[in-house]
Amino acid sequence: MIPPQEASARRREIEDKLKQEEETLSFIRDSLEKSDQLTKNMVSILSSFESRLMKLENSIIPVHKQTETLQRLQENVEKTLSCLDHVISYYHVASDTEKIIREGPTGRLEEYLGSMAKIQKAVEYFQDNSPDSPELNKVKLLFERGKESLESEFRSLMTRHSKVVSPVLLVDLISGEDDLEVQEEAPLEHLPESVLQDVIRISRWLVEYGRNQDFMNVYYQIRSSQLDRSIKGLKEHFRKSSSSSGVPYSPAVPNKRKDTPTKKPVKRPGTIRKAQNLLKQYSQHGLDGKKGGSNLIPLEGHEHDFRVKHLSEALNDKHGPLAGRDDMLDVETDAYIHCVSAFVKLAQSEYQLLTDVIPEHHQKKTFDSLIQDALDGLMLEGENIVAAARKAIIRHDFSAVLTVFPILRHLKQTKPEFDQVLQGTAAGTKNKLPGLITAMETVGAKALEDFADNIKNDPDKEYNMPKDGTVHELTSNAILFLQQLLDFQETAGAMLASQETSSSATSYSSEFSKRLLSTYICKVLGNLQLNLLSKSKVYEDPALSAIFLHNNYNYILKALEKSELIQLVAVTQKTAERSYREHVEQQIQTYQRSWLKVTDYIAEKNLPVFQPGVKLRDKERQMIKERFKGFNDGLEELCKIQKAWAIPDTEQRDKIRQAQKNIVKETYGAFLHRYGSVPFTKNPEKYIKYRVEQVGDMIDRLFDTSA
């Protein structure tokens, strides 16, 4: 049982909670009613807003559609007006640009090309939209007139501003190749830079819009003329320089580090001047038959009376002086060599210029045409040199053929550059230089062959033989010719190899060529020796014949020893030097036998035998007189004759004199000692005419016409 007090308290507590819950329920009901009222009000507002929006949309959409239509109409009108303005502008192009086109592009190329662009667009418009319009003809005519003006301006610019390269600049450019100091090579300025840019713009326009290729012909014709004139000017420069000073000079290209130009002589790339100078000396000192000298070998004393046959023969002046003529040939040779080098340099420069002006697919053809005149001129001159060499060979003037050697060597050295420059040109153009080289090799080989045959078969004998037994002109000329081959060993060897029919000749080596040249030189020397032997038989006196052969053999030997000829000969003939020494000694011995007829008179084996103190019989006295008289007469006769003979080599002359003097003095001294005091005559001075020293002095004056 719960106590009554606790039950009453619990009931009051429950009643209080119930009352609170009822109050809460009442509050919730009031809140729900207010919320429902608010919801109803919001729904009413939204319904009203939706109704208004629908009314607004229904009124705005038609207006928007009308506005959109109006905007589209406005755009169409604007486009139509723009098109009309554009079309109308084409109708005004002719009148707007006619004055500019009529006045031409000179001085305002940019503006002119802009006008031509407008005309081009007008032509395209009328062709597409109104091909029958008279306006099309107007703009077409104007376009053609403008194109012709551009073509004329192109020609005018090229003609007025293309410059011939000065000979001085060309010489310096060529000579600069050999400078040890490496410098950047400045390109030749064929056209001023501003003019070049105008030319390039015109050429590009003519190709792209003018559909015209005639300007390329204009270009190559003008540049071809300048190239040809530049090379001819260089050649003329050499001629004038040689005639005024003898040696062409030119100011050097200013060094980048120096403002003052210097002067330097032109480098001569291999000529025949050495042979010319030597031959001149022979002609100057040898024609009078007196003493002379030679730079060929250091011989002193008496020179022979011979007439030099070399370059003057090529000028139909067989026995005339050589001064001037040799220089002329030398200058022509140098000029041609320099012109070949100049052509390569100029052609390289022309191609660089051409690549800027001419479209790529037309460059090779245009360049081929551009270089033809200058190249043909060089080839023609080369062919003339070959023809002149052939004529010289017919005249047996082989020294003139030496002109071919430096030219051929230079052509072969320059051929790689030639081939590089001519890449892409026609086959006929590429083959011109190889053809000329082949022709020169052929004529050079022919000259070498005929020279060897001429040495063997030279017909000159009596009228052309030196009376003093000195060196024959055939020997000196042969040696001079062979010495010139030393400067052109590879060239001469290649000439000989080019004529070989064996398969190995097609790919000959330098060693093969050297052996061929050695064989050739040995052949010439052998032919010369045979000819000299034949010529020596012209002399009636065997002693003079021996002196003649001695002089010639000694001359050949010294020439071989003092040059590289001996090394070349030794390639195929090891004993050549020893053989010539033996020949020289053999001729000395032959000459010494000429004195036997003098010394035999006083030789002990031919003397009478008598007892000292015993009176001589008449027969014995007469025999002694005859011995003295025979010796005196023989000595005087030989000294008189041999005094006029010549031995140019001082060393050999002294050697032969001394050897002969020793023999004669010894024999005569013994004879004089034995019979000088014998009373074989009442007039001893009549028979004992010379002392031993006097005999020696007489022999010392042999081979000396001035004594």
Side-chain angles (χ1 to χ4, degrees):
M1 286 292 289
I2 300 174
Q5 292 180 349
E6 290 183 5
S8 175
R10 187 169 180 92
R11 185 174 58 224
R12 283 195 301 271
E13 184 180 353
I14 293 171
E15 288 176 354
D16 289 340
K17 287 185 179 181
L18 179 63
K19 186 178 181 179
Q20 289 178 356
E21 291 294 332
E22 287 176 351
E23 289 176 357
T24 302
L25 179 62
S26 176
F27 176 77
I28 291 172
R29 286 176 180 170
D30 290 340
S31 297
L32 287 174
E33 288 177 359
K34 289 180 182 180
S35 178
D36 288 343
Q37 186 64 39
L38 289 173
T39 300
K40 289 179 181 178
N41 292 339
M42 182 59 68
V43 169
S44 175
I45 292 171
L46 290 174
S47 298
S48 175
F49 185 71
E50 181 181 6
S51 174
R52 290 179 182 181
L53 283 177
M54 289 181 64
K55 290 180 181 179
L56 180 62
E57 183 179 356
N58 291 334
S59 61
I60 289 297
I61 286 177
V63 173
H64 177 71
K65 289 182 178 179
Q66 289 178 357
T67 303
E68 196 176 55
T69 302
L70 289 174
Q71 287 178 342
R72 190 162 51 250
L73 289 173
Q74 184 179 2
E75 289 176 359
N76 290 338
V77 170
E78 289 176 354
K79 288 181 179 178
T80 302
L81 290 174
S82 177
C83 289
L84 286 173
D85 290 339
H86 183 67
V87 171
I88 291 171
S89 68
Y90 289 130
Y91 284 86
H92 291 90
V93 165
S95 58
D96 292 344
T97 60
E98 184 175 8
K99 182 181 178 182
I100 296 175
I101 300 303
R102 184 174 63 252
E103 292 176 353
T106 304
R108 51 175 180 178
L109 181 61
E110 193 69 30
E111 181 184 4
Y112 193 89
L113 291 177
S115 297
M116 288 299 294
K118 294 178 182 179
I119 297 171
Q120 173 71 13
K121 290 179 180 178
V123 170
E124 293 173 354
Y125 171 78
F126 288 120
Q127 283 178 337
D128 294 340
N129 299 282
S130 184
D132 298 328
S133 170
E135 291 297 327
L136 176 60
N137 293 330
K138 287 183 181 179
V139 292
K140 270 189 174 181
L141 289 174
L142 197 59
F143 182 81
E144 291 300 321
R145 189 190 306 170
K147 185 170 72 171
E148 290 174 0
S149 295
L150 284 172
E151 293 172 358
S152 178
E153 179 70 4
F154 183 89
R155 180 187 293 273
S156 176
L157 289 174
M158 291 296 302
T159 302
R160 285 187 290 114
H161 297 284
S162 289
K163 302 175 183 178
V164 173
V165 181
S166 71
V168 170
L169 182 58
L170 279 177
V171 169
D172 290 332
L173 186 65
I174 298 167
S175 301
E177 294 178 351
D178 301 325
D179 288 346
L180 295 178
E181 185 176 344
V182 179
Q183 299 179 3
E184 291 185 6
E185 185 177 309
L188 294 172
E189 185 182 74
H190 298 291
L191 294 170
E193 183 62 27
S194 60
V195 174
L196 176 59
Q197 294 306 317
D198 287 349
V199 167
I200 292 173
R201 290 210 62 187
I202 294 174
S203 69
R204 290 178 179 173
W205 189 93
L206 289 173
V207 171
E208 186 174 356
Y209 301 107
R211 304 292 189 270
N212 180 282
Q213 296 182 6
D214 292 341
F215 79 94
M216 300 180 196
N217 296 331
V218 172
Y219 177 87
Y220 91 70
Q221 289 168 1
I222 293 174
R223 294 309 310 164
S224 175
S225 175
Q226 299 301 326
L227 174 61
D228 194 39
R229 289 171 59 193
S230 296
I231 293 177
K232 289 179 178 177
L234 177 62
K235 185 176 181 181
E236 190 62 27
H237 169 74
F238 269 84
R239 290 175 175 172
K240 289 181 179 179
S241 298
S242 64
S243 62
S244 60
S245 62
V247 180
Y249 282 81
S250 66
V253 177
N255 191 304
K256 293 182 179 180
R257 294 170 293 178
K258 298 180 181 179
D259 296 326
T260 305
T262 59
K263 286 193 174 184
K264 61 183 179 181
V266 175
K267 297 181 180 179
R268 313 182 74 81
T271 66
I272 55 172
R273 179 166 296 281
K274 181 167 72 173
Q276 294 168 347
N277 289 339
L278 292 173
L279 292 171
K280 281 182 191 176
Q281 291 181 8
Y282 275 117
S283 68
Q284 292 166 357
H285 298 292
L287 290 174
D288 58 1
K290 295 181 180 180
K291 289 184 178 181
S294 168
N295 286 336
L296 176 64
I297 54 176
L299 303 181
E300 300 174 0
H302 181 74
E303 273 292 349
H304 56 77
D305 177 15
F306 72 95
R307 291 166 294 278
V308 180
K309 298 189 295 183
H310 73 305
L311 297 177
S312 61
E313 294 182 7
L315 304 171
N316 298 319
D317 186 15
K318 185 173 181 180
H319 302 301
L322 304 174
R325 296 287 191 167
D326 299 343
D327 289 335
M328 182 184 71
L329 286 179
D330 197 25
V331 167
E332 291 294 327
T333 301
D334 281 351
Y336 185 74
I337 288 173
H338 279 80
C339 285
V340 170
S341 294
F343 172 81
V344 174
K345 290 293 181 183
L346 289 173
Q348 290 171 342
S349 181
E350 287 291 347
Y351 190 76
Q352 291 175 357
L353 177 65
L354 178 141
T355 55
D356 292 330
V357 180
I358 305 299
E360 183 177 359
H361 54 286
H362 291 285
Q363 289 173 2
K364 295 296 184 181
K365 182 178 179 182
T366 304
F367 180 70
D368 197 337
S369 301
L370 189 155
I371 62 173
Q372 283 304 314
D373 286 347
L375 182 59
D376 286 344
L378 286 177
M379 295 302 106
L380 178 60
E381 191 169 351
E383 291 167 3
N384 290 338
I385 291 171
V386 172
R390 289 196 183 101
K391 292 179 181 178
I393 293 172
I394 295 174
R395 295 194 307 271
H396 300 298
D397 177 20
F398 301 103
S399 299
V401 181
L402 288 173
T403 305
V404 173
F405 284 74
I407 293 175
L408 176 58
R409 180 175 65 182
H410 187 70
L411 289 180
K412 296 179 81 170
Q413 290 173 344
T414 313
K415 187 177 180 297
E417 290 184 88
F418 249 97
D419 293 341
Q420 185 177 7
V421 169
L422 300 183
Q423 278 183 354
T425 57
T429 303
K430 293 178 181 178
N431 292 333
K432 287 181 179 179
L433 180 65
L436 179 60
I437 289 176
T438 300
M440 286 193 171
E441 283 189 330
T442 301
V443 76
K446 175 66 174 173
L448 293 175
E449 178 184 349
D450 284 15
F451 177 77
D453 292 341
N454 188 68
I455 292 296
K456 181 178 181 180
N457 303 317
D458 178 56
D460 296 344
K461 286 190 177 180
E462 294 184 9
Y463 86 90
N464 202 33
M465 292 295 290
K467 295 179 181 180
D468 55 3
T470 190
V471 180
H472 196 278
E473 62 175 321
L474 181 68
T475 302
S476 57
N477 285 343
I479 293 298
L480 284 170
F481 185 87
L482 293 179
Q483 282 193 322
Q484 296 318 296
L485 298 185
L486 292 176
D487 293 332
F488 309 101
Q489 293 184 39
E490 292 185 8
T491 304
M495 284 179 177
L496 296 169
S498 68
Q499 305 305 305
E500 290 291 313
T501 56
S502 62
S503 59
S504 62
T506 58
S507 58
Y508 53 85
S509 63
S510 58
E511 186 63 28
F512 177 72
S513 299
K514 190 173 184 179
R515 290 189 66 83
L516 283 179
L517 184 58
S518 174
T519 302
Y520 171 78
I521 292 174
C522 291
K523 177 182 177 181
V524 171
L525 293 176
N527 289 349
L528 177 60
Q529 186 173 341
L530 291 174
N531 200 319
L532 290 173
L533 284 171
S534 176
K535 291 181 185 299
S536 68
K537 297 176 182 177
V538 171
Y539 296 111
E540 296 180 358
D541 190 334
L544 181 55
S545 177
I547 290 296
F548 171 76
L549 291 176
H550 164 273
N551 285 332
N552 283 272
Y553 291 154
N554 184 64
Y555 183 92
I556 295 170
L557 176 61
K558 290 295 180 68
L560 293 177
E561 289 177 338
K562 295 182 181 298
S563 69
E564 295 179 17
L565 281 174
I566 192 64
Q567 285 88 349
L568 267 179
V569 170
V571 172
T572 54
Q573 195 174 79
K574 304 293 185 183
T575 61
E577 187 174 2
R578 185 181 67 188
S579 177
Y580 274 108
R581 291 190 185 281
E582 291 174 353
H583 289 322
V584 169
E585 290 301 320
Q586 182 181 355
Q587 298 308 319
I588 292 176
Q589 294 173 11
T590 301
Y591 160 75
Q592 289 175 340
R593 285 198 288 270
S594 67
W595 282 84
L596 290 178
K597 62 182 179 181
V598 177
T599 56
D600 277 353
Y601 279 105
I602 57 175
E604 186 174 355
K605 62 181 179 179
N606 297 324
L607 295 178
V609 179
F610 61 91
Q611 294 294 329
V614 179
K615 184 178 180 180
L616 296 176
R617 292 175 294 179
D618 291 341
K619 182 178 180 181
E620 291 173 337
R621 286 195 298 271
Q622 185 61 32
M623 183 177 292
I624 294 173
K625 291 178 182 179
E626 289 177 357
R627 294 292 183 268
F628 270 107
K629 183 177 184 345
F631 172 79
N632 293 335
D633 292 345
L635 176 66
E636 292 168 356
E637 180 183 1
L638 283 185
C639 287
K640 180 181 179 181
I641 293 173
Q642 295 184 10
K643 177 183 176 181
W645 296 355
I647 299 179
D649 189 336
T650 303
E651 181 182 347
Q652 286 292 313
R653 184 168 65 242
D654 292 343
K655 174 183 175 182
I656 292 173
R657 283 174 177 170
Q658 188 62 42
Q660 199 58 53
K661 184 169 64 173
N662 291 341
I663 295 172
V664 176
K665 284 178 66 177
E666 181 181 355
T667 306
Y668 181 64
F671 177 75
L672 192 60
H673 176 74
R674 187 168 186 176
Y675 295 101
S677 59
V678 174
F680 63 92
T681 178
K682 296 180 179 180
N683 301 308
E685 66 278 358
K686 178 180 179 181
Y687 298 97
I688 307 176
K689 295 173 65 175
Y690 303 105
R691 298 190 307 276
V692 175
E693 291 75 13
Q694 288 178 310
V695 172
D697 292 342
M698 292 174 68
I699 295 175
D700 278 337
R701 290 193 291 271
L702 298 179
F703 318 116
D704 189 356
T705 56
S706 63

